[in-house]
Amino acid sequence: MSELLIECRQLYKSYGLRPALRGVDLEVGPGRIVGLLGPNGSGKTTLIKLLCGLLRPTTGSLSVDGSAVGPYTKSVVSYLPDRMYFADWMKAVDLFDLFRDFYSGFDYQKALAMCRSLGVEPRDRLKSMSKGTKEKVQLVLVMARSAKLYLLDEPIAGVDPAARDFILRTILTNYNEEGTVLISTHLISDIEKVLDEAIFLKEGKIMLHETVDTIREKEGKSVDALFREVFQAAPMFDGEKEGF
Amino acid sequence: MLLKLLKYDFRAMWKQFSLIWGAALVLALVNRFTLFRDAGNRVRTDSGMLMFVFISVIVAMFVIAIIFVVNRFSKGLLGNEGYLMFTLPVRPWQLVLSKLICGTVTWVGCGVVAFVSPFIMAPVNWLELLQLSLWSEIFTDVFRGVMKHPGVLVLLAEFCLVILSFLVLLIAAMYLAMAVGHLFSRQRRLISVAVFIGLYILIANIYDRVFSVRFVQSLMNMATVNAYGAMLTASAIMLVPALAFLAVVCWILENRLNLE
């Protein structure tokens, strides 16, 4: 529909008097894997929630695939939140039915196949599943869709390094290659190798938006190293004097 | 899309209420054979416990129905499940309408079970009763009566409308109270309860003022000149604020949603 998949103009979002995003201008095209990188409280989740329609901007404009956020954009966005959104009475197959009903691009057979490969029994009640298994089900729901934009909010936070690789592999082997994947995280070293672009978000503003190759060429360092440099927190005391 | 939402709302409702409704009806049937003696129609004193259990189930059913309506909205839309529901390609009004329809049907279902249960429990031999040739005469008489006075059916339909309007108003007020409570970062439940009570006072005050206007009084006198008009007016009086409440709820969910 549009050459740009994400287009933000002077996007501002505040919760009461507290600003979360302050004048974000952003353009992202299709077929990219983009890292939305920033420390806690930098506005990553707010930006993702605005893109998937869970929040309304305070001011500024926002469009996904050329349309203002609404039912159409929700039909082309596949969103992985940073929490569980299941109703206890459901089974994974109930959710697959729901997704098949609402999203034309949901591949039911692929979802079942992904469950098999991830060791999830789709006919078990979600209530009886462990936290890790529920996360897998949620990942299956997101990645079994042929979406234009995948919004993954902290998909690898809170899991061990082996599980991180496993999740990333699942994402990379299952996403629609014509679509764009926006991954928010602060665990950059784990995802750096798969990123095409990186966006640094700090205190609600975009500090940097470049391709990963450009960052390496220009800065002569990895995205992770640059991130540490940009977001280095000033210590509250003199570490050397205190013997640290 | 609304039909698809209704499918999942009704599925959630059925998972919960099929057991409760089933339990109430089975207990009524058990009481039918244990609480009463068929011949003497005397109550067995040793079956009081079953009667108590039955009444408890009916009361519990209505309490659960209220909790169900509250939870389907507060957890299903304003809680973590909202992350799923608000990212579906539907408008917030469709989500609200689906929950409203499902909640109303649930309450009506509970009313039907509560109404039917005493008939199941009554010490009547239904098989004998059903075989009576008298039934054909009764049906014929009823049919003739309705044909002669078709207004009875209209009156019955209007009565149902009044009941439905009351339920819709009640649920809409609950939804609005929860939606307003959701705007605050703390004490959301307490604020919701306060808003619910406040809405009742607000409606009472507004209608008190509106009905004291002479023009409105004369309109009311014209509208309530017979039972038909009176019931329609009663429905309208309840549906107008209900629609206003629902409009505010949809606006809040569309523009002020914050699932954090």
Side-chain angles (χ1 to χ4, degrees):
Chain A
M1 197 170 178
S2 169
E3 280 188 18
L4 289 174
L5 203 53
I6 299 172
E7 205 173 353
C8 306
R9 294 272 174 266
Q10 281 303 300
L11 196 63
Y12 188 95
K13 175 67 190 174
S14 65
Y15 300 104
L17 293 173
R18 189 169 55 84
L21 290 180
R22 299 187 293 175
V24 168
D25 287 305
L26 178 65
E27 290 181 352
V28 178
R32 316 291 291 162
I33 299 180
V34 184
L36 185 59
L37 316 173
N40 294 330
S42 57
K44 302 188 296 291
T45 297
T46 299
L47 181 57
I48 285 184
K49 282 185 174 177
L50 285 164
L51 289 167
C52 68
L54 284 175
L55 290 175
R56 277 289 181 99
T58 307
T59 57
S61 69
L62 168 66
S63 68
V64 174
D65 197 27
S67 299
V69 174
Y72 168 72
T73 62
K74 289 177 183 181
S75 71
V76 298
V77 169
S78 192
Y79 169 54
L80 180 71
D82 57 351
R83 66 195 67 201
M84 298 297 146
Y85 55 48
F86 304 133
D88 280 345
W89 60 271
M90 283 184 150
K91 297 173 182 172
V93 281
D94 292 328
L95 282 163
F96 297 167
D97 286 340
L98 187 143
F99 269 54
R100 182 170 55 182
D101 275 351
F102 284 95
Y103 301 111
S104 56
F106 183 76
D107 188 338
Y108 197 96
Q109 293 307 321
K110 184 178 177 181
L112 291 177
M114 283 177 76
C115 277
R116 273 194 297 275
S117 72
L118 295 172
V120 177
E121 175 44 64
R123 283 175 215 292
D124 283 352
R125 270 180 183 273
L126 293 161
K127 201 177 180 178
S128 65
M129 289 180 182
S130 68
K131 186 171 171 277
T133 311
K134 283 181 187 171
E135 282 174 355
K136 285 178 185 171
V137 171
Q138 211 149 277
L139 191 64
V140 168
L141 286 166
V142 172
M143 301 317 299
R145 282 185 59 198
S146 174
K148 288 191 174 177
L149 178 60
Y150 297 85
L151 299 172
L152 313 178
D153 194 0
E154 304 278 5
I156 53 172
V159 293
D160 59 79
R164 281 177 208 164
D165 285 345
F166 181 73
I167 290 169
L168 282 175
R169 211 167 43 244
T170 306
I171 293 167
L172 293 172
T173 51
N174 288 287
Y175 82 101
N176 167 24
E177 287 183 16
E178 289 164 17
T180 284
V181 183
L182 186 70
I183 306 177
S184 110
T185 187
H186 50 263
L187 301 167
I188 298 145
S189 58
D190 291 291
I191 64 158
E192 182 172 347
K193 56 186 178 289
V194 302
L195 294 181
D196 296 315
E197 295 176 26
I199 298 168
F200 283 11
L201 206 57
K202 187 179 183 183
E203 293 167 2
K205 285 183 174 176
I206 290 183
M207 302 283 294
L208 176 136
H209 179 195
E210 291 281 6
T211 64
V212 170
D213 292 339
T214 310
I215 290 172
R216 284 180 189 141
E217 275 173 30
K218 269 191 190 172
E219 307 290 337
K221 56 185 84 164
S222 69
V223 178
D224 188 32
L226 183 64
F227 181 88
R228 286 169 196 274
E229 196 179 295
V230 171
F231 295 101
Q232 193 175 33
M236 290 193 56
F237 53 86
D238 191 333
E240 277 181 31
K241 280 183 189 168
E242 298 290 333
F244 287 92
Chain B
M1 286 296 186
L2 181 63
L3 288 177
K4 288 176 182 174
L5 288 171
L6 281 169
K7 177 178 150 187
Y8 288 95
D9 274 326
F10 275 103
R11 194 184 275 184
M13 182 266 271
W14 184 247
K15 290 254 179 195
Q16 199 166 350
F17 281 89
S18 56
L19 280 175
I20 297 162
W21 290 340
L25 294 173
V26 167
L27 267 172
L29 199 65
V30 170
N31 279 340
R32 157 77 179 75
F33 292 106
T34 56
L35 193 62
F36 299 109
R37 288 171 193 267
D38 281 355
N41 197 19
R42 282 172 293 167
V43 177
R44 277 181 178 173
T45 50
D46 58 343
S47 301
M49 181 56 82
L50 278 170
M51 189 61 180
F52 174 74
V53 171
F54 172 73
I55 293 169
S56 302
V57 167
I58 294 292
V59 171
M61 181 176 73
F62 281 103
V63 172
I64 292 169
I66 293 169
I67 294 170
F68 174 79
V69 168
V70 170
N71 277 350
R72 289 297 297 160
F73 190 82
S74 66
K75 286 187 179 172
L77 292 183
L78 304 178
N80 282 349
E81 283 176 52
Y83 282 82
L84 171 65
M85 301 313 292
F86 284 103
T87 48
L88 293 176
V90 294
R91 292 270 178 209
W93 69 263
Q94 290 172 310
L95 295 169
V96 174
L97 188 59
S98 173
K99 299 261 180 279
L100 177 73
I101 293 170
C102 186
T104 309
V105 170
T106 306
W107 282 4
V108 170
C110 289
V112 168
V113 170
F115 180 77
V116 167
S117 299
F119 288 98
I120 295 174
M121 210 162 55
V124 177
N125 191 335
W126 291 100
L127 286 175
E128 253 179 43
L129 205 65
L130 286 170
Q131 281 166 357
L132 282 176
S133 56
L134 198 67
W135 279 105
S136 61
E137 281 180 38
I138 290 172
F139 278 125
T140 314
D141 287 347
V142 169
F143 184 71
R144 276 185 195 149
V146 168
M147 285 294 107
K148 210 172 177 181
H149 305 283
V152 175
L153 285 179
V154 178
L155 218 53
L156 195 67
E158 284 190 8
F159 177 71
C160 293
L161 184 67
V162 170
I163 303 267
L164 284 177
S165 305
F166 174 70
L167 295 180
V168 168
L169 174 61
L170 200 58
I171 295 174
M174 288 161 81
Y175 284 178
L176 180 56
M178 285 184 274
V180 171
H182 161 81
L183 296 175
F184 295 82
S185 54
R186 288 179 186 181
Q187 308 285 355
R188 286 178 168 178
R189 284 183 189 167
L190 198 66
I191 292 166
S192 297
V193 172
V195 171
F196 185 76
I197 296 166
L199 284 174
Y200 175 77
I201 296 167
L202 182 75
I203 293 178
N205 268 303
I206 288 174
Y207 273 135
D208 197 34
R209 287 182 185 207
V210 169
F211 291 138
S212 63
V213 177
R214 190 161 290 177
F215 173 69
V216 178
Q217 279 176 346
S218 52
L219 270 180
M220 287 294 288
N221 287 338
M222 280 193 286
T224 58
V225 71
N226 56 30
Y228 303 105
M231 287 220 254
L232 276 182
T233 309
S235 295
I237 285 171
M238 290 187 277
L239 284 178
V240 168
L243 291 176
F245 290 171
L246 291 172
V248 178
V249 170
C250 291
W251 185 86
I252 290 173
L253 297 185
E254 183 104 42
N255 297 288
R256 291 283 180 270
L257 185 72
N258 181 8
L259 298 177
E260 283 300 320

